[in-house]
Amino acid sequence: MGLFNFNRPADYLDAAREMAHSGRPTLARLLAEEAADRTTDPADAARIRAEFPGNSLRQED
């Protein structure tokens, strides 16, 4: 895995794609969810979630 700075939604999305390509779909989905949550445009957030389909893997309190 490359070195990432997680300052922007795109940083989380880049990491999600790298995790998906390296066979780590669960981590990819979690990173994609974080990217979508940090995205201000609802259409972009929906696009990100569609790229990494599946149910949310987060455990909320």
Side-chain angles (χ1 to χ4, degrees), residues 20-40:
H21 287 125
S22 66
R24 296 179 178 105
T26 302
L27 184 53
R29 176 62 191 194
L30 288 168
L31 288 163
E33 288 178 11
E34 190 63 32
D37 287 350
R38 292 171 179 261
T39 300
T40 57

Side-chain angles (χ1 to χ4, degrees), residues 3 6-8 10 14-16 18-19 23 32 34-36 38 41 44 49-51 55-56 59-60:
L3 184 60
F6 295 97
N7 298 319
R8 305 170 298 138
D14 289 343
E18 187 167 325
M19 291 300 102
E34 190 63 32
R38 292 171 179 261
D41 182 347
D44 285 341
R49 287 187 180 98
E51 184 177 342
N55 294 326
S56 177
Q59 298 201 0
E60 303 292 332

